[in-house]
Amino acid sequence: MVHQKKRDDALALQDCYILNLPKIEDSRGNLTFVEGGVHLPFDIKRVYYLYDVPGGSHRGAHAHRNLHQFMVAMSGSFDVILSDGHQERTFHLNRSYFGLYICPMMWRNLDNFSSGAVCMVMASARYDEGDYIRDHGDFLQEVAR
Ligand code: TYD
């Protein structure tokens, strides 16, 4: 969906991508690890997770002005729909050895949670409500600037 002309230096959907993590396969069980600044393009300041998500629930519906995030389906699966205000793309997360890097100024919706899904998010900063854009109209105005 095209709303407004995009600034040349603005972040776009192409700046968000799936990142594969190291996977140490072992007959005793597999092991995956993440080091901020090494496997991710930011240092990890905060980790949070969504769990016990009732079927049919939607999460997200906001953007962040400055926050970088990395989202992993630690268990089960869900969809992340990203929009830069111009284009939209759906990412299906369903394994704990890869995740989605989300750059700042991306509107995101999370839905289609399977039963038992756990969404873990690594973030570049501590919680700051001032960094959120929760109104979609405000988001479209900010990306058009
Ligand atoms: P929110 O980010 O809106 O959740 P989601 O995007 O998953 O739908 O956060 C929901 C509530 O939790 C909101 O009141 C803020 C609070 N919260 C914190 O206090 N600390 C945190 O690190 C996060 C992510 C949320």
Side-chain angles (χ1 to χ4, degrees):
M1 52 181 176
V2 175
H3 295 281
Q4 268 121 3
K5 192 175 181 311
K6 195 161 182 69
R7 261 190 5 238
D8 287 345
D9 61 340
L11 289 162
L13 204 46
Q14 302 87 265
D15 297 307
C16 301
Y17 45 85
I18 293 290
L19 265 172
N20 289 306
L21 298 170
K23 184 180 181 191
I24 312 290
E25 298 200 32
D26 192 305
S27 56
R28 301 168 300 161
N30 298 334
L31 184 152
T32 283
F33 53 95
V34 187
E35 295 183 7
V38 177
H39 304 103
L40 305 184
F42 60 87
D43 283 328
I44 301 163
K45 289 268 174 55
R46 175 169 54 113
V47 175
Y48 65 92
Y49 29 95
L50 301 170
Y51 54 99
D52 291 347
V53 180
S57 277
H58 298 254
R59 304 283 318 210
H62 61 254
H64 288 280
R65 291 188 176 84
N66 297 303
L67 193 70
H68 297 255
Q69 290 172 301
F70 182 63
M71 214 170 259
V72 180
M74 296 305 286
S75 179
S77 64
F78 52 89
D79 289 339
V80 186
I81 303 105
L82 294 184
S83 167
D84 58 12
H86 304 264
Q87 286 180 292
E88 189 175 283
R89 186 171 165 197
T90 299
F91 297 86
H92 184 62
L93 300 185
N94 61 354
R95 292 284 184 274
S96 50
Y97 53 82
F98 71 82
L100 176 63
Y101 164 66
I102 307 177
C103 66
M105 291 305 286
M106 288 297 134
W107 191 265
R108 86 286 314 275
N109 285 299
L110 279 72
D111 66 12
N112 199 21
F113 285 90
S114 69
S115 99
V118 178
C119 168
M120 187 173 72
V121 184
M122 296 162 217
S124 63
R126 289 189 175 171
Y127 175 72
D128 172 13
E129 184 58 35
D131 186 60
Y132 281 73
I133 306 171
R134 292 197 182 271
D135 181 88
H136 194 246
D138 292 346
F139 170 71
L140 292 178
Q141 279 190 346
E142 290 205 24
V143 292
R145 267 184 212 140

